[in-house]
Amino acid sequence: MSDTSNRQALVIGASRGLGLVLATELAGRGWQVIATTRQGGGELQATAQASNGRLRVESLEMTSEEELAALRTRLTGTRLDLLFVNAAIDRGDLPIGEVPTEMFTEVMITNALSPLRTVEALRDLVAPGGTVAVMSSEQGSISRNTEDGYELYKASKAALNQLMRSYATRNAGDGHTKLLIDPGHNRTRLGGPGAPLDPKESIPAVVDVLVAQAGAPGLQFLDQHGETVPW
């Protein structure tokens, strides 16, 4: 990925926050970027209009199997060098015994099941030697879970990591680089205004990691500096 000319990326979940900054950063480095959003307009659309054709927007509600299938059909013939799935919700800091069943289901579907469904639906668009990456979190590390709080969110990210490991094991011979990325604690709607990191500083580092790891075999769980995050 050292030469980004004619490289193409699909960023799932780019309407705001980390996904928006990621799509913008890739386009700024010369990639052709397809970025999805659940709703039209907004900052992503404005960014696309100012991108000189480097960024285009597609509609997707990732939790909808029908919308996912429709996107796959629209992208028929597309060859991707990078598929990056970015999606997560957080429904507050409750001990697991106080989490309503509906909330548990919603968070697990959005944070764990839907990202892997998306990878499964779109993986055949990724070129040989291309990269399949999913936005994870250090919060999904079981060995680093040593502080109280956000039990459901942590569980959903651990589930995401486990499902991605199963996916990587099942598709070990497909020639794709597979990455789980921990971008750090960023100031986003999810991370909160008191988070220590600015996405405009951390996400360029994430892109550096994506570039550096292109062609690497197997699945890795890495932070924004390219360091391994323990499972």
Side-chain angles (χ1 to χ4, degrees), residues 51-132:
S51 71
N52 294 318
R54 286 287 179 187
L55 175 63
R56 90 168 198 254
V57 179
E58 287 280 354
S59 176
L60 176 67
E61 168 51 68
M62 190 183 64
T63 61
S64 166
E65 293 182 82
E66 292 77 16
E67 288 198 22
L68 184 57
L71 175 65
R72 173 61 186 83
T73 298
R74 294 197 301 274
L75 295 179
T76 297
T78 301
R79 301 308 292 164
L80 300 173
D81 298 285
L82 171 64
L83 168 61
F84 198 110
V85 181
N86 169 61
I89 59 173
D90 171 23
R91 291 296 182 249
D93 185 8
L94 294 174
I96 196 63
E98 298 176 14
V99 172
T101 300
E102 295 78 9
M103 180 187 295
F104 183 90
T105 302
E106 179 192 20
V107 171
M108 284 293 184
I109 288 174
T110 302
N111 292 5
L113 176 60
S114 294
L116 267 296
R117 275 182 174 166
T118 301
V119 167
E120 294 278 13
L122 302 175
R123 62 181 300 272
D124 66 316
L125 300 177
V126 180
T131 297
V132 175

Side-chain angles (χ1 to χ4, degrees), residues 9 21 23 25 33 75 117 124 149 154 161 185 199 221 229:
V21 179
E25 177 69 18
V33 181
L75 295 179
R117 275 182 174 166
D124 66 316
K154 290 175 179 177
N161 292 352
H185 188 191
F221 185 12
V229 182

Side-chain angles (χ1 to χ4, degrees), residues 4-5 35 82 96 113 143 166 168 178 221:
T4 59
S5 61
L82 171 64
I96 196 63
L113 176 60
S143 61
S166 295
K178 303 173 185 72
F221 185 12

Side-chain angles (χ1 to χ4, degrees), residues 17-18 21 135-138 181-206 222-226:
L18 301 179
V21 179
M135 196 75 86
S136 186
S137 170
E138 182 188 34
I181 297 292
D182 164 34
H185 188 191
N186 285 267
R187 291 189 291 276
T188 63
R189 186 181 301 181
L190 183 66
L197 298 179
D198 181 348
K200 292 183 179 179
E201 296 176 356
S202 60
I203 290 301
V206 166
L222 303 175
D223 68 13
Q224 76 270 28
H225 305 297

Side-chain angles (χ1 to χ4, degrees), residues 118-170:
T118 301
V119 167
E120 294 278 13
L122 302 175
R123 62 181 300 272
D124 66 316
L125 300 177
V126 180
T131 297
V132 175
V134 179
M135 196 75 86
S136 186
S137 170
E138 182 188 34
Q139 300 256 33
S141 169
I142 293 175
S143 61
R144 287 189 178 177
N145 184 11
T146 57
E147 296 181 4
D148 291 341
Y150 296 93
E151 296 177 17
L152 175 54
Y153 181 78
K154 290 175 179 177
S156 72
K157 286 298 187 179
L160 171 70
N161 292 352
Q162 184 74 291
L163 291 173
M164 189 64 180
R165 176 65 82 105
S166 295
Y167 168 85
T169 300
R170 179 161 33 87

